[in-house]
Amino acid sequence: MSETQPLTGKVAIVTGASAGIGQATARSLAAAGAHVVVTARRQDRLDDLVSEISALGGSAVAMMANAANLEDVRAVAEETFAQDGRIDILVNNAGIMKIAPITENDVADWATMVDVNIKGVLHFLSAVMPHMVKQGSGHIVSVGSVAGRRPFPGGSVYAATKFAVRALSWGLHLELGAAHGIRITDIQPGYVATELLSDQPDTLEAWNEAWSDRRTLQPEDVARAIEFAVTSPDHVSVSEVLIRPTDQPT
Ligand SMILES: NC(=O)c1ccc[n+]([C@@H]2O[C@H](COP(=O)([O-])OP(=O)(O)OC[C@H]3O[C@@H](n4cnc5c(N)ncnc54)[C@H](OP(=O)(O)O)[C@@H]3O)[C@@H](O)[C@H]2O)c1
């Protein structure tokens, strides 16, 4: 292990790596020496990221997958294992946020959030966990949210999905920590400037206005927290990281 590249020899899968927090995390883990499998639905973006990481001397491959589709997800884990023989780190980051008053009763949006934010996380857990159990080591990082501690109006269902991530992470530590040497981390960001609201222009405009004189987090700030967790010594499980903009009043 090189002192400057603490993740040399490690294999990491980063979900939702085509944008925002996942993209920044892939860059940071690759710079720390990991071989990074970047996955999401947008292949062109993943290919660009792989080229960028490779040009900087890092190691990455792209594997397209819809996190809501178990077969896609299994294919990512199996191909990674076939190519690299191990899976050390899973960053379960892919997620979506649909904001609307609960009275709009948009059950289709609720279902999509459950499919990606909960089932997607479970799909990657299911596909990767057997390899980590066999290895007797591994680290599963999930990107939850401050909303997984405290819901907000318009975000009740989103918050429910992030409470689920928190509950799951707590349980995984109990079941996989001492027994299998697998570390679990729930990263809980406050507001990060990403594309998360790009499909909801009215909400995005309102949030941009509310934040016009406040500093948000950047994806790299969250990536640094993830890097801290995964580069901590093996006997240290950084179980939760709540990371908010200094200017976030909630
Ligand atoms: N931004 C914030 O303020 C904030 C705060 C707290 C927590 N978070 C959480 O951080 C995580 C990353 O979000 P972000 O802010 O970085 O948003 P983003 O810029 O919109 O990135 C979301 C990523 O998730 C991927 N994704 C979405 N649906 C997917 C699906 N069905 N299958 C596979 N990948 C999918 C997207 O890729 P494709 O579209 O290419 O599939 C994209 O790479 C999410 O879990 C979010 O809930 C964000």
Side-chain angles (χ1 to χ4, degrees):
M1 181 178 88
S2 134
E3 217 166 90
T4 47
Q5 290 201 299
L7 297 179
T8 299
K10 304 280 185 192
V11 176
I13 297 176
V14 179
T15 78
S18 60
I21 294 168
Q23 191 178 58
T25 300
R27 286 185 182 121
S28 129
L29 299 188
H35 169 66
V36 185
V37 176
V38 294
T39 177
R41 291 167 303 176
R42 285 171 289 179
Q43 179 81 49
D44 53 335
R45 291 233 190 162
L46 297 175
D47 289 342
D48 288 348
L49 180 61
V50 167
S51 301
E52 183 197 314
I53 288 173
S54 304
L56 291 169
S59 174
V61 294
M63 296 188 197
M64 192 170 73
N66 179 353
N69 181 314
L70 181 57
E71 294 315 312
D72 279 14
V73 171
R74 282 184 173 150
V76 170
E78 292 322 310
E79 207 176 320
T80 302
F81 190 73
Q83 285 180 9
D84 306 307
R86 54 187 304 109
I87 303 172
D88 299 290
I89 298 166
L90 166 65
V91 181
N92 234 335
N93 161 77
I96 55 170
M97 177 170 76
K98 306 281 186 190
I99 300 297
I102 201 76
T103 47
E104 285 191 12
N105 206 354
D106 196 337
V107 74
D109 273 357
W110 301 350
T112 312
M113 282 189 281
V114 168
D115 283 347
V116 181
N117 298 4
I118 302 180
K119 287 191 191 167
V121 164
L122 292 174
H123 290 162
F124 273 99
L125 166 70
S126 164
V128 163
M129 178 174 53
H131 298 292
M132 292 184 170
V133 166
K134 265 193 211 132
Q135 286 165 194
S137 69
H139 197 148
I140 300 173
V141 178
S142 298
V143 179
S145 172
V146 65
R149 290 171 168 257
R150 185 186 154 141
F152 59 94
S156 298
V157 177
Y158 176 75
T161 68
K162 296 302 187 180
F163 268 72
V165 167
R166 190 164 174 229
L168 178 71
S169 298
W170 197 288
L172 291 181
H173 172 75
L174 304 183
E175 297 202 57
L176 297 176
H180 298 287
I182 298 172
R183 298 189 287 166
I184 306 295
T185 303
D186 177 16
I187 302 280
Q188 301 154 1
Y191 190 37
V192 191
T194 68
E195 298 171 16
L196 194 61
L197 279 171
S198 57
D199 61 342
Q200 298 150 82
D202 293 345
T203 308
L204 179 61
E205 197 183 325
W207 283 41
N208 280 342
E209 181 138 331
W211 280 86
S212 61
D213 58 352
R214 294 189 193 138
R215 295 162 296 173
T216 66
L217 293 178
Q218 298 301 316
E220 293 72 23
D221 299 318
V222 183
R224 197 176 308 119
I226 293 172
E227 189 179 337
F228 167 73
V230 300
T231 57
S232 291
D234 281 350
H235 68 286
V236 178
S237 270
V238 178
S239 300
E240 299 192 5
V241 180
L242 174 62
I243 171 172
R244 286 178 290 188
T246 306
D247 293 349
Q248 181 162 342
T250 56

